[in-house]
Amino acid sequence: MAPMDREGRTGRDGDDAARGPAGTGGNRLVPLIAAGSAPRAAVAALALEQHHVIPADRRSFHHLAERAAQGRQPAVAAFFAHLEQGEGVALERLGVLAAACGLDAETLRAHEPRAGCQAYPAYVAWLALGAEPVDVVVALSANFAAWGGYCATVAQALRRHYGFTDEACGFFDFFAEPDPRGAALAAEAVRAGRAEGLLTERLAHRYGRMLQEYESMFWNTLADTCVVQ
């Protein structure tokens, strides 16, 4: 896992439902990275975990696109197809980040993922299996705003405090930079879902709240295991 104005890869689309629940929970790691006080090992651990998160999310988005297409929801399917394509780009850039962290292919293969970091993609997969796809559009759009903001902060800090190159920061830049097409696709998906009576805002906001809590769990798991208090 923002903006027309740096709010995440899908951004806000002008629709109240797609803005989702407010608040992102207590992220303990990003402020430490922003201050340059988190160890480089925390950044390496993030890269290791994302090597599991990104492929899982890509599979989930592919399944959601297929479900939406089968349900004759082309606007929703287009949104998830766009996300799936983006995860492929992110995975390529993640390899550069991993190399900058000193992680080789064997280290990536041997890494045992942390449950607290993988709760987010597990929940996305759960949504992909059974939730109404347009409700997932709303939930993801809300959480991508938080994720995009975190990525923007981390990218700046890695350059300033840790000596990472622009290329090494490309993974974070990708999620922090504006994505007008994603924002437009999200807006159209929500409009179409509402017009067809498929959007349930109560559930969409519940899913968004859960995703934001799992997002915080991802970062705080890394803080708990990689930062010496």
Side-chain angles (χ1 to χ4, degrees):
M1 48 232 337
M4 289 188 289
D5 39 4
R6 296 192 75 82
E7 290 179 303
R9 288 229 18 112
T10 58
R12 296 191 183 275
D13 63 5
D15 186 291
D16 289 341
R19 295 180 184 185
T24 60
N27 184 326
R28 299 196 301 276
L29 182 60
V30 167
L32 296 176
I33 296 175
S37 58
R40 289 178 67 95
V43 182
L46 187 154
L48 286 167
E49 295 296 331
Q50 285 295 326
H51 268 87
H52 292 270
V53 173
I54 297 297
D57 282 352
R58 184 167 60 172
R59 289 191 295 269
S60 294
F61 297 152
H62 179 80
H63 187 65
L64 281 158
E66 285 192 332
R67 286 183 58 211
Q70 291 168 2
R72 297 183 181 180
Q73 302 173 55
V76 177
F79 172 78
F80 286 115
H82 179 74
L83 293 190
E84 180 187 1
Q85 182 180 34
E87 295 299 295
V89 174
L91 189 59
E92 293 176 359
R93 297 191 180 192
L94 184 57
V96 181
L97 174 64
C101 292
L103 303 172
D104 59 21
E106 179 57 31
T107 302
L108 292 173
R109 284 193 298 269
H111 175 67
E112 288 295 328
R114 299 167 176 87
C117 292
Q118 300 305 316
Y120 178 97
Y123 188 65
V124 174
W126 184 86
L127 293 174
L129 287 174
E132 179 61 49
V134 69
D135 290 342
V136 185
V137 174
V138 173
L140 287 169
S141 296
N143 188 67
F144 285 170
W147 167 247
Y150 296 150
C151 286
T153 299
V154 170
Q156 183 180 36
L158 291 184
R159 291 176 169 94
R160 178 180 300 172
H161 300 299
Y162 297 86
F164 279 60
T165 65
D166 288 343
E167 186 180 19
C169 293
F171 173 80
F172 298 105
D173 289 339
F174 174 70
F175 288 108
E177 67 190 6
D179 180 19
R181 175 164 172 74
L185 290 171
E188 181 56 32
V190 171
R191 283 194 292 268
R194 176 174 285 123
E196 295 168 11
L198 297 173
L199 176 64
T200 304
E201 293 190 24
R202 176 180 58 84
L203 290 177
H205 290 184
R206 175 192 297 172
Y207 301 152
R209 174 182 59 80
M210 294 289 287
L211 285 171
Q212 289 184 352
E213 291 180 9
Y214 287 131
E215 176 78 34
S216 293
M217 185 184 296
F218 173 88
W219 294 97
N220 291 337
T221 296
L222 294 176
D224 291 341
T225 56
C226 301
V227 178
V228 177
Q229 302 298 328

